[in-house]
């Protein structure tokens, strides 16, 4: 556990996140199989859109946990650490919105 | 090969697409490992944004091939089939834009 | 009418598009008024998300018309012009997906 | 100023935001003029993508200010108000990511 000895927001839900990521991995393998079986382009594109939505859900969950724990705790202590955590969170949100 | 005996646009690049999807699968496993190792939330989110961009690139490539082959060929023959292919392509584009 | 003497796909629906863009302009003025009246940040953000969705709808409509007319006509004639139109359409789709 | 007597995060930058929204309004009028002058579809779509990016920038700015002021202050006081602000911020982020 790097960045700080501060327990990350998602740890209480770690198992759920790991299971969720495993499902996403399964979706990717499903898309690989569709292309390997030469299935219709539109059907492959439909699965990619579904995968993108699943990824957004995963990211939004992690972000919510991060805000509730890491950012709030740092904000309470204030000072440079609080400022840094907020800037980091905003940059992560911007990457998600623009990707 | 379903939907039609018409060869799908991506078939000439099938190997490249399969390799690309394998890399995406590797990115998902990387994210799984980061969460399993309890890495910092922001670093996990950064990898999810990178994965989302890789998926967008994959989808845009497949869509371009689909337009150039399936849609153009159907448009040339015109009639209901041409109309259906165009409507299908537009719906796929809308899903990508809105996901 | 530049680019070519070829009538653009959206011309048959020009009035509808102009009315739609006027409504979008009204939404922007509404957001300006909310900020001017110092309304709550979250309420302003909600209106910006609604405006973004309206813009996506406008873009998808124009793109559909463009595919059905400009791209299909050029694809039928084939050659460099057909190739150029397809490349142009794919680039426009990519900008929409990534914005 | 509704929602609470708490000064919103963006107030210190109000003038800048109002000017920024005015520019966005000008971009919308520019798109209206392009369609009215029957300009090429792809050129109109390019301007819509630029407008979407400008809107994203506006939203991310407002969100950053909201996190730094409204959410942090509520988080410091904790309790139901802090919880509500965090839930509200996460929902606004989700709308932005998914729009």
């Amino acid at each position: 556990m790097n960045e700080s000895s501060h327990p990350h927001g998602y740890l209480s839900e770690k198992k759920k996140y790991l299971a969720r990521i495993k499902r996403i991995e399964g979706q990717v393998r499903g898309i690989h199989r569709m292309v390997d079986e030469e299935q219709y382009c539109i059907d492959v594109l439909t699965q990619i859109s579904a995968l993108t939505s699943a990824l957004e859900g995963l990211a939004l969950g992690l972000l919510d946990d991060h805000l509730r724990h890491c950012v709030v705790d740092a904000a309470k202590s204030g000072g440079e650490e609080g400022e840094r955590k907020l800037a980091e969170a905003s940059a992560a949100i911007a990457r998600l919105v623009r990707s």
Side-chain angles (χ1 to χ4, degrees), chain A residues 19-33:
Chain A
R20 203 167 170 178
I21 298 166
K22 270 295 172 199
R23 284 197 300 274
I24 285 174
E25 195 183 323
Q27 285 179 271
V28 177
R29 274 202 295 277
I31 289 168
H32 188 273
R33 196 168 44 247

Side-chain angles (χ1 to χ4, degrees), chain A residues 2 14 39 45 47-49 85 91 93 98:
Chain A
N2 51 24
K14 181 177 170 178
Q39 292 195 26
L45 284 167
Q47 290 310 312
I48 292 176
S49 291
K85 286 284 191 221
I93 294 165
R98 293 196 190 282

Side-chain angles (χ1 to χ4, degrees), chain A residues 31-73:
Chain A
I31 289 168
H32 188 273
R33 196 168 44 247
M34 289 178 83
V35 171
D36 198 35
E37 291 168 359
E38 300 180 1
Q39 292 195 26
Y40 185 42
C41 331
I42 294 289
D43 297 335
V44 179
L45 284 167
T46 302
Q47 290 310 312
I48 292 176
S49 291
L51 177 54
T52 302
S53 294
L55 267 177
E56 278 175 0
L58 174 67
L60 289 169
L62 286 166
L63 188 62
D64 183 62
D65 283 323
H66 181 64
L67 285 178
R68 289 175 188 280
H69 298 87
C70 313
V71 176
V72 161
D73 293 346

Side-chain angles (χ1 to χ4, degrees), chain A residues 8-19 65:
Chain A
H8 307 322
Y10 65 82
L11 293 189
S12 58
E13 303 279 349
K14 181 177 170 178
K15 272 191 183 164
K16 275 189 199 164
Y17 280 116
L18 288 174
D65 283 323

